[in-house]
Coordinates of all heavy atoms in Angstrom, one line a residue:
M28 N 5.9 22.2 -10.8 CA 6.6 21.6 -11.9 C 5.8 21.7 -13.2 O 4.7 21.5 -13.2 CB 6.7 20.1 -11.5 CG 8.0 19.4 -12.1 SD 8.0 17.7 -11.6 CE 8.5 17.8 -9.9
S29 N 6.5 22.1 -14.3 CA 5.8 22.2 -15.5 C 6.7 21.9 -16.7 O 7.9 21.8 -16.5 CB 5.2 23.6 -15.7 OG 6.3 24.5 -15.8
E30 N 6.1 21.6 -17.8 CA 6.8 21.3 -19.0 C 6.2 22.1 -20.1 O 5.0 22.2 -20.2 CB 6.7 19.8 -19.3 CG 7.6 19.4 -20.5 CD 7.6 17.9 -20.7 OE1 7.8 17.2 -19.7 OE2 7.3 17.5 -21.8
T31 N 7.0 22.7 -20.9 CA 6.4 23.5 -22.0 C 6.7 22.8 -23.3 O 7.6 22.0 -23.4 CB 7.0 24.9 -22.0 OG1 8.4 24.8 -22.2 CG2 6.7 25.7 -20.8
A32 N 5.9 23.1 -24.3 CA 6.1 22.6 -25.7 C 5.7 23.6 -26.7 O 5.0 24.6 -26.4 CB 5.2 21.4 -25.8
E33 N 6.3 23.5 -27.9 CA 5.9 24.3 -29.0 C 4.4 24.1 -29.3 O 3.9 23.0 -29.0 CB 6.8 24.0 -30.2 CG 8.3 24.4 -30.0 CD 8.5 25.8 -29.7 OE1 7.9 26.7 -30.3 OE2 9.3 26.1 -28.8
P34 N 3.8 25.1 -30.0 CA 2.4 24.9 -30.3 C 2.0 23.6 -31.0 O 0.9 23.1 -30.8 CB 2.0 26.2 -31.1 CG 3.1 27.2 -30.7 CD 4.3 26.4 -30.3
D35 N 2.9 23.1 -31.9 CA 2.5 21.9 -32.6 C 3.0 20.6 -32.0 O 2.9 19.6 -32.6 CB 3.1 22.1 -34.1 CG 4.6 22.2 -34.1 OD1 5.2 22.5 -33.0 OD2 5.2 21.9 -35.1
Q36 N 3.5 20.7 -30.8 CA 4.0 19.5 -30.1 C 3.0 19.1 -29.0 O 2.3 19.9 -28.4 CB 5.3 19.8 -29.4 CG 6.5 19.9 -30.4 CD 7.8 20.2 -29.7 OE1 7.8 20.8 -28.7 NE2 8.8 19.7 -30.3
T37 N 3.0 17.8 -28.7 CA 2.2 17.3 -27.6 C 3.0 17.6 -26.3 O 4.1 17.3 -26.2 CB 1.9 15.8 -27.7 OG1 1.3 15.6 -29.0 CG2 1.1 15.2 -26.6
Q38 N 2.2 18.1 -25.3 CA 2.9 18.4 -24.0 C 2.7 17.2 -23.1 O 1.6 16.6 -23.1 CB 2.2 19.6 -23.4 CG 2.9 20.1 -22.2 CD 2.3 21.4 -21.7 OE1 1.4 22.0 -22.3 NE2 2.8 22.0 -20.6
G39 N 3.7 16.8 -22.3 CA 3.6 15.7 -21.4 C 4.5 15.8 -20.2 O 5.4 16.6 -20.2
W40 N 4.2 15.0 -19.2 CA 4.9 14.9 -18.0 C 4.9 13.5 -17.5 O 3.9 12.8 -17.6 CB 4.3 15.9 -17.0 CG 4.9 15.9 -15.6 CD1 6.0 16.6 -15.2 CD2 4.4 15.1 -14.5 NE1 6.2 16.3 -13.9 CE2 5.2 15.4 -13.4 CE3 3.3 14.3 -14.3 CZ2 5.1 14.9 -12.2 CZ3 3.1 13.7 -13.1 CH2 4.0 14.0 -12.0
S41 N 6.0 13.1 -16.9 CA 6.0 11.8 -16.2 C 6.5 12.0 -14.8 O 7.4 12.7 -14.6 CB 6.9 10.8 -17.0 OG 6.3 10.5 -18.2
P42 N 6.0 11.2 -13.9 CA 6.4 11.3 -12.5 C 7.8 10.7 -12.3 O 8.3 9.9 -13.1 CB 5.4 10.6 -11.7 CG 4.8 9.6 -12.6 CD 4.9 10.3 -14.0
A43 N 8.4 11.1 -11.2 CA 9.8 10.5 -10.8 C 9.6 9.1 -10.4 O 8.6 8.6 -10.0 CB 10.3 11.3 -9.7
P44 N 10.7 8.3 -10.6 CA 10.7 6.9 -10.1 C 10.4 6.8 -8.6 O 10.8 7.7 -7.9 CB 12.1 6.4 -10.4 CG 12.6 7.3 -11.4 CD 12.0 8.6 -11.2
D45 N 9.7 5.8 -8.2 CA 9.3 5.6 -6.8 C 10.6 5.2 -6.0 O 11.2 4.2 -6.2 CB 8.3 4.5 -6.6 CG 7.9 4.3 -5.2 OD1 8.0 5.2 -4.4 OD2 7.4 3.2 -4.9
E46 N 10.9 6.1 -5.0 CA 11.9 5.8 -4.0 C 11.4 6.0 -2.6 O 12.2 6.4 -1.7 CB 13.1 6.7 -4.3 CG 13.8 6.4 -5.7 CD 14.9 7.3 -6.1 OE1 15.2 8.3 -5.3 OE2 15.5 7.1 -7.1
G47 N 10.1 5.8 -2.4 CA 9.5 6.0 -1.1 C 9.1 7.4 -0.7 O 8.7 7.7 0.4
Q48 N 9.3 8.3 -1.7 CA 8.9 9.7 -1.4 C 7.4 10.0 -1.6 O 6.7 9.2 -2.2 CB 9.7 10.7 -2.4 CG 9.2 10.7 -3.8 CD 9.8 9.6 -4.7 OE1 10.1 8.5 -4.3 NE2 9.9 9.9 -6.0
A49 N 7.0 11.1 -1.0 CA 5.6 11.6 -1.2 C 5.4 12.1 -2.5 O 6.3 12.6 -3.2 CB 5.3 12.6 -0.1
G50 N 4.1 12.1 -3.0 CA 3.7 12.7 -4.3 C 3.4 11.6 -5.3 O 3.3 10.4 -5.0
T51 N 3.3 12.1 -6.6 CA 3.0 11.2 -7.7 C 4.3 10.5 -8.1 O 5.3 11.2 -8.3 CB 2.4 11.9 -8.8 OG1 1.2 12.6 -8.4 CG2 2.0 11.0 -10.0
V52 N 4.3 9.2 -8.2 CA 5.5 8.5 -8.6 C 5.2 7.4 -9.7 O 4.1 7.1 -9.9 CB 6.1 7.7 -7.3 CG1 6.6 8.7 -6.3 CG2 5.2 6.7 -6.8
M53 N 6.3 6.9 -10.3 CA 6.1 5.8 -11.3 C 6.7 4.6 -10.7 O 7.9 4.6 -10.3 CB 6.8 6.2 -12.6 CG 6.6 5.1 -13.6 SD 7.2 5.4 -15.3 CE 6.3 6.8 -15.8
T54 N 6.0 3.5 -10.6 CA 6.5 2.3 -10.0 C 7.4 1.6 -11.0 O 7.5 2.0 -12.1 CB 5.3 1.3 -9.7 OG1 4.6 1.0 -10.9 CG2 4.3 2.0 -8.7
K55 N 8.1 0.6 -10.5 CA 9.1 -0.1 -11.3 C 8.4 -0.8 -12.5 O 9.1 -1.0 -13.5 CB 9.8 -1.2 -10.5 CG 10.7 -0.6 -9.5 CD 11.5 -1.6 -8.7 CE 12.3 -0.8 -7.7 NZ 13.1 -1.7 -6.8
D56 N 7.1 -1.1 -12.4 CA 6.4 -1.8 -13.6 C 5.8 -0.7 -14.5 O 5.0 -1.1 -15.4 CB 5.4 -2.8 -13.1 CG 4.3 -2.3 -12.2 OD1 4.3 -1.1 -11.9 OD2 3.4 -3.1 -11.8
G57 N 6.0 0.6 -14.3 CA 5.5 1.6 -15.2 C 4.2 2.2 -14.8 O 3.7 3.0 -15.6
Q58 N 3.6 1.8 -13.7 CA 2.3 2.3 -13.3 C 2.5 3.6 -12.5 O 3.5 3.8 -11.9 CB 1.5 1.3 -12.5 CG 1.1 0.1 -13.2 CD 0.2 -0.8 -12.4 OE1 0.1 -0.6 -11.2 NE2 -0.4 -1.8 -13.0
W59 N 1.5 4.5 -12.5 CA 1.5 5.7 -11.8 C 0.8 5.4 -10.4 O -0.1 4.7 -10.3 CB 0.8 6.8 -12.5 CG 1.5 7.4 -13.7 CD1 2.4 6.8 -14.5 CD2 1.4 8.7 -14.2 NE1 2.8 7.6 -15.5 CE2 2.2 8.8 -15.3 CE3 0.6 9.8 -13.8 CZ2 2.3 10.0 -16.0 CZ3 0.7 11.0 -14.5 CH2 1.6 11.1 -15.6
A60 N 1.4 6.1 -9.4 CA 0.8 5.9 -8.0 C 1.0 7.2 -7.3 O 1.8 8.1 -7.7 CB 1.5 4.8 -7.3
Y61 N 0.3 7.3 -6.2 CA 0.4 8.5 -5.3 C 0.6 8.1 -3.9 O 0.1 7.1 -3.4 CB -0.9 9.4 -5.4 CG -0.9 10.6 -4.5 CD1 -0.2 11.7 -4.9 CD2 -1.5 10.5 -3.3 CE1 -0.1 12.8 -4.0 CE2 -1.5 11.6 -2.4 CZ -0.8 12.8 -2.8 OH -0.7 13.9 -2.0
R62 N 1.5 8.8 -3.2 CA 1.8 8.6 -1.8 C 1.7 9.9 -1.1 O 2.3 10.9 -1.4 CB 3.2 8.0 -1.7 CG 3.6 7.7 -0.2 CD 5.0 7.2 -0.1 NE 5.1 5.8 -0.6 CZ 5.8 5.4 -1.7 NH1 6.5 6.2 -2.4 NH2 5.8 4.1 -2.0
Y63 N 0.8 9.9 -0.1 CA 0.5 11.2 0.6 C 1.6 11.7 1.6 O 1.7 12.8 1.9 CB -0.9 11.2 1.3 CG -0.9 10.3 2.5 CD1 -0.8 10.8 3.8 CD2 -1.2 8.9 2.4 CE1 -0.8 10.0 4.9 CE2 -1.3 8.1 3.5 CZ -1.1 8.6 4.7 OH -1.2 7.8 5.8
K64 N 2.4 10.8 2.0 CA 3.6 11.2 2.9 C 4.7 10.1 2.7 O 4.4 9.0 2.3 CB 3.2 11.3 4.3 CG 2.8 10.0 5.0 CD 2.5 10.3 6.5 CE 2.3 8.9 7.2 NZ 2.1 9.1 8.6
D65 N 5.9 10.5 3.0 CA 7.1 9.6 2.8 C 6.8 8.3 3.5 O 6.4 8.3 4.7 CB 8.3 10.2 3.4 CG 8.9 11.4 2.5 OD1 8.3 11.6 1.4 OD2 9.8 12.0 2.9
G66 N 7.0 7.2 2.9 CA 6.9 5.9 3.5 C 5.5 5.3 3.6 O 5.4 4.1 3.9
A67 N 4.5 6.1 3.2 CA 3.1 5.5 3.3 C 2.8 4.6 2.1 O 3.6 4.5 1.2 CB 2.1 6.7 3.2
E68 N 1.8 3.8 2.2 CA 1.4 2.9 1.2 C 1.0 3.7 -0.1 O 0.5 4.8 0.0 CB 0.1 2.1 1.6 CG 0.4 1.1 2.7 CD 1.3 -0.1 2.3 OE1 1.1 -0.6 1.2 OE2 2.1 -0.5 3.1
L69 N 1.3 3.1 -1.2 CA 1.0 3.7 -2.5 C -0.5 3.6 -2.8 O -1.1 2.5 -2.5 CB 1.8 3.0 -3.7 CG 3.2 3.3 -3.7 CD1 3.9 2.5 -4.8 CD2 3.5 4.8 -4.0
I70 N -1.1 4.6 -3.4 CA -2.4 4.6 -4.0 C -2.3 4.5 -5.5 O -1.7 5.5 -6.1 CB -3.2 5.8 -3.5 CG1 -3.3 5.9 -2.0 CG2 -4.6 5.8 -4.1 CD1 -3.7 7.2 -1.5
M71 N -2.7 3.5 -6.1 CA -2.5 3.3 -7.5 C -3.4 4.3 -8.3 O -4.6 4.5 -7.9 CB -2.8 1.9 -8.0 CG -1.9 0.8 -7.3 SD -0.1 1.2 -7.3 CE 0.3 1.0 -9.0
M72 N -2.9 4.8 -9.4 CA -3.6 5.8 -10.2 C -3.8 5.3 -11.6 O -3.0 4.5 -12.1 CB -2.9 7.1 -10.3 CG -2.6 7.8 -9.0 SD -1.5 9.2 -9.1 CE -2.2 10.2 -10.5
K73 N -4.8 5.8 -12.3 CA -4.9 5.6 -13.7 C -4.1 6.7 -14.4 O -4.2 7.8 -14.1 CB -6.4 5.7 -14.2 CG -6.6 5.5 -15.6 CD -8.0 5.6 -16.0 CE -8.2 5.5 -17.5 NZ -9.6 5.7 -17.9
M74 N -3.2 6.2 -15.4 CA -2.4 7.2 -16.1 C -3.4 8.1 -16.9 O -4.3 7.6 -17.5 CB -1.5 6.5 -17.1 CG -0.3 5.9 -16.4 SD 0.8 5.1 -17.6 CE 1.3 6.4 -18.6
P75 N -3.1 9.4 -17.0 CA -3.9 10.3 -17.8 C -3.7 10.0 -19.3 O -2.6 9.6 -19.7 CB -3.4 11.7 -17.5 CG -2.0 11.5 -16.9 CD -2.0 10.1 -16.3
E76 N -4.8 10.1 -20.0 CA -4.7 9.9 -21.5 C -4.1 11.1 -22.1 O -4.3 12.2 -21.8 CB -6.1 9.7 -22.0 CG -6.7 8.3 -21.5 CD -8.0 8.0 -22.3 OE1 -8.1 8.4 -23.4 OE2 -8.7 7.2 -21.7
R77 N -3.2 10.8 -23.1 CA -2.6 11.9 -23.8 C -3.1 11.9 -25.3 O -3.3 10.8 -25.8 CB -1.1 11.7 -23.8 CG -0.5 11.9 -22.4 CD 1.0 11.8 -22.4 NE 1.5 12.0 -21.0 CZ 2.6 11.7 -20.6 NH1 3.5 11.2 -21.5 NH2 3.0 11.9 -19.4
P78 N -3.2 13.0 -25.9 CA -3.7 13.1 -27.3 C -2.7 12.3 -28.1 O -1.5 12.4 -27.9 CB -3.7 14.5 -27.6 CG -3.4 15.3 -26.4 CD -3.0 14.3 -25.3
A79 N -3.2 11.7 -29.1 CA -2.3 10.9 -30.1 C -1.5 12.0 -30.9 O -2.0 13.0 -31.3 CB -3.1 10.1 -31.0
S80 N -0.2 11.7 -31.0 CA 0.6 12.6 -31.8 C 0.5 12.3 -33.3 O 0.3 11.1 -33.6 CB 2.1 12.6 -31.4 OG 2.5 11.2 -31.5
T81 N 0.5 13.3 -34.1 CA 0.4 13.1 -35.6 C 1.7 13.2 -36.3 O 2.6 13.8 -35.8 CB -0.7 14.0 -36.2 OG1 -0.3 15.4 -35.8 CG2 -2.0 13.7 -35.6

């Protein structure tokens, strides 16, 4: 999965909403989390910092 941007734009990506699937997800309260397999407990993540847009 990738996202492209023009040279003067900030590139970004957000995970899919959490529906019990494996991978990086966004919880209902907006936090990022990781689940290693479907239905497993979430591992909370720190959101990556993005450069400030000008």
Side-chain angles (χ1 to χ4, degrees):
M28 211 180 286
S29 66
E30 183 175 313
T31 59
E33 294 299 319
D35 62 341
Q36 291 180 326
T37 301
Q38 187 172 0
W40 173 85
S41 292
D45 179 27
E46 296 176 358
Q48 74 274 31
T51 303
V52 298
M53 183 176 294
T54 63
K55 290 180 182 179
D56 62 358
Q58 294 184 348
W59 286 29
Y61 177 79
R62 180 180 286 117
Y63 69 95
K64 67 178 186 175
D65 289 354
E68 291 290 321
L69 287 172
I70 300 167
M71 302 311 289
M72 299 172 51
K73 180 180 177 185
M74 284 182 61
E76 292 190 24
R77 295 186 177 161
S80 58
T81 54

